[in-house]
Amino acid sequence: MEETKSRKRERVEMPKQAPFIRKRNFQEVALGYTKEMAVDEASRCLACKKPLCVEGCPVEIDIPGFIKCIATNDFSAAIRKLKEKNCLPAVCGRVCPQEEQCEIKCIVGKKGSPVAIGRLERFAAEWEASQTIMELPEIKTKTGKNVLVVGSGPAGITVAGDLILAGHEVTMLEALHEPGGVLSYGIPEFRLPGKIVSREIEYLQKLGVKLICNYVVGKTKSLSDLLNEYDAAFIGTGAGLPWFMEIPGENLNGVYSANEYLTRVNLMRGYQYPKTYTPVIRHRRVAVVGGGNVAMDCARTALRLGAEEVYIVYRRSRNELPARLEEFENAEEEGVIFHFLTLPVKLIGDEEGWLKEIECLKMELGEPDQSGRRKPVPLAGSEFRMRMDACIVAIGNSPNPIIPTTTPNLEVSKKGTIIVDENTGKTSIDRVWAGGDIVTGAATVILAMGAGRKAARSMHAYLTNGIVSTGG
Amino acid sequence: MIVPNLHLLVVHAPEVANTIRPGQFVILHAGEGAERIPLTAADWDREEGTLTVIFMEVGTSTGKLAMLKAGDQIPTVVGPLGVPMEMRNFGTVVCIGGCFGMGSILPVVRELKENGNKVITILEGRSKNLLYWEEKLSKYSDKVIRLTRDGSTGYKGHVKKGNEILKEMNIIPDRIIAMGCTTLSYLATRDYAHYNVPIIITLNTIMIDGTGMCGVCRCTIDGHMKFACVDGPTSFRMWRILTWKKQNQGNVRG
Ligand SMILES: Cc1cc2nc3c(=O)[nH]c(=O)nc-3n(C[C@H](O)[C@H](O)[C@H](O)COP(=O)(O)OP(=O)(O)OC[C@H]3O[C@@H](n4cnc5c(N)ncnc54)[C@H](O)[C@@H]3O)c2cc1C
Ligand SMILES: Cc1cc2nc3c(=O)[nH]c(=O)nc-3n(C[C@H](O)[C@H](O)[C@H](O)COP(=O)(O)OP(=O)(O)OC[C@H]3O[C@@H](n4cnc5c(N)ncnc54)[C@H](O)[C@@H]3O)c2cc1C
Ligand code: SF4
Ligand code: FES
């Protein structure tokens, strides 16, 4: 029977650069499906009546719908379906944690490997980009309302896209000299090429979004002042404030925050040095502290810059690793060495103030903590030292405080996140909405997009009939 | 160029000029591939929408800026960044400017005067030909003192010499503000510590974004980690700083 046959068939592998080659270049690791591969993989989908995968998707993409279009070779319909719910399929197809969202729920996955939803999403987006004419959706009649979007990360991009299509004028302000948020300055080129992000931004500009870079809201002008010029505003300023470990030696040379390291390499194009003027020292032995996607990105970047040995030092065990499985596997394949259950306690420098060694403690897993994960407890007397030239701290970020501290009456939590109504993204201030990492703390691209979409809906309702609905 | 190796740049940035305050800085970026360079505002004209910076040509990216011709476009001017310097009537304030700081101290001196302070301005430089803006500064200072290391004009000596001069003039400062290179800041905090008054300096750390995102400008103050770009750069009293990331200036120079 056709159905059983397709159920048993394993998923179509996506071609990748071989580890020994890719670990020395900044080109994208995954190469994407060909048409044939995509159609083949799409045919594994059972087009479930009650698709569980859709429940797992934070923005409820019609997954079986777009996959069916691919299976029938109608790629342009596939991308239209995707874009109904997700304005950044090329990004999400690459960086979403599908293995814990949609793919984990896929029925085919119960007996074998789930349908490769992410790879198909990516394929559809790439197909669209390869077409010479890009379909521009229709813009509703202009409403004459002006909307301000602060921050050009995925949350801001979504709001800008939705509201311009609804007929409002949109201005997007960005603090850095390039738009895209973490997509530009954080996630490295080999995972998400810069040209994909710029393509999305250009698309917004084609639709008529006005983008102004080098504008720090709260510094160049306060949000309160800007509100005199706009009918409504959205804050999507992300979680950009890096945490440090607060251990001795953190001010030594050779110690970086993940943000600094990645920004130097990505945004400032340090990976093209000496063609560019942002020198990034080629450290030989690099330790990255942390276990998330950010840590994997730093470790793999260090390898690509020519490091001989790169370590990931993580205080819990492999099972608790918060990074995406795919990224962990990629890192391991490329030769990153993992020290699990290890906690740095001290950084030791030489006479000139350069990092020389890091001192660590061995840990063991104890009782579960608030997060439900087993808490690491230090093993007494287990101190040991490792020689290192560089240490990159990738243990997390807090919300950027500039807007909260310069906007009176904006309600924020103890953690510094902006407090909003869960259903609408409305903040405590009149005419101001917020969403993304600035509300949730560091999270994911798709959640930031989802939050942007929700806020855009509520903003649109407000702009058209003056009503701010709460509670649904 | 105003004096050897120091360049004056006037940029048109109305929004920045409109809100900038003494002690704040901007970041200039001479374009793709160059670094983002933090520079303190030395003057501004809100009506014209212009901003003046004075910078020293020390490396690649400042070199690129130095090569600009009148009318050229700079793609990036971000600001104003940092916390403005605290301003009120403190009494007698001694302001020391060296190198680019002779320029960037002007707004400070001006506003101190507007707040009714007695302002003593010290210009510090290696030699006579490196001093500038004395006339502008005199307008808002009760006294301007020249200090050169080779004695070619004014008093001969370095920051320490200021002690003698102040004593001679019977001046007891209520606050000391030093702007310029790291050495000057360091010497000011060391040589004037005995007055036991706040000594305000600017932290010229390496910076990238200037918005608190990268952490490269971090320093430890009273045991707490601070970011010079958002917590500073002029709101610290150097003599209480335990360690700071001065070394970072070497960090990027692979
Ligand atoms: C290295 C790294 C790897 C990651 N990998 C993944 C992954 O694989 N999958 C995944 O789903 N998620 C990943 N994430 C998380 C994801 O990127 C974020 O959750 C997402 O980008 C948040 O979007 P945002 O729009 O809320 O904010 P951001 O993307 O942070 O954008 C905020 C923007 O606002 C600007 N801004 C801040 N303050 C101001 C101001 N005052 N005025 C004007 N502009 C301002 C900032 O410069 C920035 O451009 C990763 C994050 C990092 C750092
Ligand atoms: C808040 C702030 C305000 C500043 N204001 C001014 C200003 O008004 N005018 C001005 O001229 N400079 C100012 N600086 C310093 C200026 O930003 C740097 O000199 C500049 O970034 C160097 O860039 P570059 O690429 O040309 O030099 P690079 O090529 O990066 O460096 C060349 C050489 O200069 C040395 N160097 C770099 N930075 C410094 C520094 N900060 N102090 C001493 N030596 C250094 C390096 O060790 C290296 O040897 C300020 C810095 C900060 C953080
Ligand atoms: S759960 Fe799997 S098989 Fe079912 S519709 Fe979704 S992707 Fe297709
Ligand atoms: S310059 Fe990046 S945090 Fe201060």
Side-chain angles (χ1 to χ4, degrees):
Chain A
M1 245 170 66
E2 191 62 35
E3 210 191 324
T4 26
K5 208 174 103 202
S6 66
R7 196 176 294 178
K8 279 213 183 107
R9 220 172 58 207
E10 280 299 297
R11 58 160 60 180
V12 178
E13 279 310 317
M14 177 168 57
K16 282 191 202 175
Q17 284 194 63
F20 71 97
I21 295 175
R22 69 177 192 242
K23 74 181 209 190
R24 292 287 181 243
N25 71 45
F26 275 92
Q27 274 130 42
E28 202 177 358
V29 166
L31 302 171
Y33 279 157
T34 60
K35 268 188 204 168
E36 293 70 31
M37 288 172 179
V39 173
D40 203 15
E41 177 63 22
S43 69
R44 291 178 66 226
C45 172
L46 307 177
C48 308
K49 282 238 171 56
K50 270 199 190 155
L52 295 173
C53 53
V54 178
E55 288 171 18
C57 174
V59 295
E60 297 174 2
I61 294 177
D62 176 4
I63 297 173
F66 97 83
I67 294 186
K68 185 154 180 238
C69 298
I70 297 185
T72 56
N73 267 297
D74 190 353
F75 305 138
S76 119
I79 190 73
R80 254 179 282 131
K81 268 234 149 15
L82 273 165
K83 285 207 164 163
E84 277 168 17
K85 298 283 172 145
N86 181 340
C87 58
L88 300 171
V91 175
C92 293
R94 287 174 165 87
V95 304
C96 264
Q98 293 100 7
E99 67 283 355
E100 49 187 73
Q101 293 179 168
C102 49
E103 291 179 9
I104 196 176
K105 301 234 166 148
C106 171
I107 218 86
V108 180
K110 303 278 183 281
K111 292 228 173 98
S113 54
V115 174
I117 303 171
R119 294 173 185 177
L120 290 171
E121 181 178 15
R122 171 192 166 130
F123 166 79
E126 285 314 290
W127 175 86
E128 185 192 33
S130 69
Q131 299 313 104
T132 35
I133 29 164
M134 192 155 174
E135 287 178 39
L136 277 192
E138 200 186 319
I139 296 181
K140 300 254 164 62
T141 344
K142 286 287 171 199
T143 60
K145 302 279 182 185
N146 280 309
V147 181
L148 171 70
V149 173
V150 187
S152 63
I157 293 178
T158 309
V159 173
D162 286 4
L163 292 182
I164 195 99
L165 288 178
H168 310 292
E169 296 295 343
V170 181
T171 304
M172 187 149 84
L173 300 179
E174 166 58 48
L176 293 172
H177 61 271
E178 267 182 31
V182 169
L183 307 182
S184 289
Y185 76 74
I187 304 181
E189 186 73 13
F190 55 84
R191 212 146 67 77
L192 180 66
K195 67 169 195 289
I196 288 168
V197 184
S198 28
R199 201 163 75 200
E200 299 301 339
I201 301 283
E202 272 162 32
Y203 169 75
L204 285 183
Q205 287 175 310
K206 265 192 212 146
L207 293 178
V209 172
K210 203 169 137 210
L211 169 72
I212 304 175
C213 289
N214 304 313
Y215 200 111
V216 186
V217 175
K219 290 282 175 191
T220 314
K221 230 184 216 181
S222 70
L223 183 65
S224 323
D225 284 346
L226 284 162
L227 278 172
N228 296 330
E229 299 161 33
Y230 294 91
D231 297 299
F234 175 81
I235 311 172
T237 47
L241 187 81
W243 292 343
F244 285 88
M245 296 181 283
E246 312 263 329
I247 61 172
E250 246 175 337
N251 286 353
L252 287 167
N253 273 320
V255 183
Y256 304 83
S257 76
N259 282 357
E260 180 193 346
Y261 195 72
L262 293 171
T263 302
R264 275 186 190 284
V265 179
N266 298 329
L267 184 72
M268 304 307 293
R269 315 262 187 274
Y271 70 96
Q272 290 170 343
Y273 185 79
K275 221 170 92 192
T276 57
Y277 298 109
T278 301
V280 185
I281 304 176
R282 271 63 174 161
H283 297 286
R284 289 173 51 219
R285 294 170 58 87
V286 180
V288 180
V289 184
N293 286 322
V294 184
M296 303 301 141
D297 284 346
C298 292
R300 299 171 67 201
T301 297
L303 273 182
R304 284 160 173 77
L305 288 174
E308 283 158 25
E309 280 175 36
V310 178
Y311 297 83
I312 283 201
V313 179
Y314 179 52
R315 64 192 178 121
R316 300 176 196 253
S317 77
R318 181 177 178 147
N319 295 330
E320 287 81 17
L321 210 61
R324 291 187 59 198
L325 183 67
E326 185 181 330
E327 300 312 331
F328 163 69
E329 285 171 359
N330 278 336
E332 205 171 37
E333 273 176 22
E334 287 166 15
V336 173
I337 304 159
F338 286 79
H339 276 294
F340 292 112
L341 291 165
T342 308
L343 179 75
V345 286
K346 198 156 112 191
L347 305 175
I348 301 137
D350 64 15
E351 311 74 51
E352 273 155 35
W354 285 87
L355 178 71
K356 188 174 72 178
E357 281 183 311
I358 72 177
E359 185 169 304
C360 299
L361 272 178
K362 282 272 168 213
M363 313 289 277
E364 68 182 357
L365 289 180
E367 297 294 308
D369 63 8
Q370 281 159 330
S371 71
R373 298 178 299 180
R374 291 177 64 194
K375 198 182 156 144
V377 243
L379 281 171
S382 65
E383 289 88 351
F384 70 101
R385 290 186 176 192
M386 296 190 278
R387 280 202 77 83
M388 288 296 160
D389 313 324
C391 176
I392 302 167
V393 185
I395 57 171
N397 287 304
S398 310
N400 192 311
I402 292 185
I403 291 193
T405 53
T406 55
T407 313
N409 305 327
L410 183 65
E411 252 183 72
V412 288
S413 72
K414 265 201 220 109
K415 285 190 218 144
T417 51
I418 298 180
I419 298 173
V420 299
D421 175 77
E422 211 181 302
N423 294 304
T424 58
K426 178 74 180 45
T427 68
S428 57
I429 306 188
D430 212 22
R431 300 188 282 134
V432 179
W433 282 255
D437 283 3
I438 184 76
V439 168
T440 54
T444 60
V445 172
I446 191 73
L447 287 174
M449 263 193 46
R453 180 128 288 178
K454 235 186 246 171
R457 209 176 291 145
S458 166
M459 291 170 85
H460 178 60
Y462 166 75
L463 292 167
T464 19
N465 56 28
I467 300 167
V468 181
S469 58
T470 45
Chain B
M1 194 156 13
I2 47 171
V3 294
N5 214 23
L6 276 181
H7 300 260
L8 181 143
L9 188 69
V10 181
V11 291
H12 185 72
E15 300 229 58
V16 183
N18 199 32
T19 46
I20 197 153
R21 316 254 308 118
Q24 288 189 302
F25 64 100
V26 295
I27 287 187
L28 301 187
H29 183 216
E32 178 80 0
E35 285 198 77
R36 296 163 58 101
I37 307 174
L39 297 172
T40 315
D43 205 357
W44 50 83
D45 185 328
R46 299 211 204 281
E47 256 119 65
E48 295 284 320
T50 56
L51 195 74
T52 305
V53 290
I54 290 178
F55 66 93
M56 193 191 311
E57 193 177 340
V58 291
T60 329
S61 299
T62 42
K64 273 197 157 183
L65 283 183
M67 267 154 49
L68 291 172
K69 291 183 292 296
D72 281 356
Q73 292 268 350
I74 304 177
T76 298
V77 181
V78 208
L81 298 169
V83 183
M85 204 183 278
E86 187 188 349
M87 282 292 164
R88 57 186 161 85
N89 192 340
F90 301 104
T92 304
V93 186
V94 171
C95 296
I96 310 154
C99 178
F100 66 80
M102 265 174 259
S104 54
I105 204 137
L106 175 68
V108 175
V109 167
R110 187 166 56 201
E111 196 156 324
L112 281 169
K113 194 72 225 164
E114 282 164 14
N115 275 290
N117 289 281
K118 179 171 178 187
V119 186
I120 314 296
T121 305
I122 303 180
L123 300 181
E124 188 279 329
R126 214 165 349 108
S127 191
K128 188 176 164 188
N129 66 336
L130 295 175
L131 303 188
Y132 59 94
W133 278 21
E134 182 172 345
E135 211 173 300
K136 284 191 190 217
L137 287 162
S138 312
K139 248 173 94 182
Y140 309 101
S141 310
D142 293 83
K143 180 103 197 124
V144 176
I145 299 166
R146 294 187 216 140
L147 195 57
T148 51
R149 259 165 276 168
D150 64 1
S152 48
T153 180
Y155 294 84
K156 180 172 166 34
H158 211 323
V159 175
K160 201 166 183 172
K161 181 80 180 175
N163 281 312
E164 277 171 47
I165 309 169
L166 293 178
K167 202 160 167 201
E168 214 173 86
M169 295 179 171
N170 260 330
I171 294 164
I172 300 161
D174 296 303
R175 172 169 286 240
I176 295 165
I177 300 172
M179 293 185 102
C181 67
T182 308
T183 321
L184 179 87
S185 307
Y186 170 72
L187 291 178
T189 56
R190 190 192 68 184
D191 297 341
Y192 299 148
H194 63 89
Y195 284 115
N196 237 338
V197 297
I199 303 176
I200 311 295
I201 56 126
T202 58
L203 283 175
N204 302 336
T205 58
I206 297 289
M207 293 187 178
I208 298 180
D209 56 305
T211 65
M213 182 270 278
C214 72
V216 66
C217 62
R218 67 192 181 275
C219 47
T220 307
I221 294 173
D222 283 347
H224 297 286
M225 188 175 287
K226 297 279 178 194
F227 290 174
C229 68
V230 282
D231 301 320
T234 59
S235 51
F236 304 135
R237 298 162 184 193
M238 175 80 158
W239 45 276
R240 290 166 66 196
I241 296 175
L242 304 178
T243 55
W244 65 302
K245 228 185 158 185
K246 175 179 156 205
Q247 313 91 319
N248 236 327
Q249 298 179 344
N251 199 353
V252 285
R253 272 129 299 253

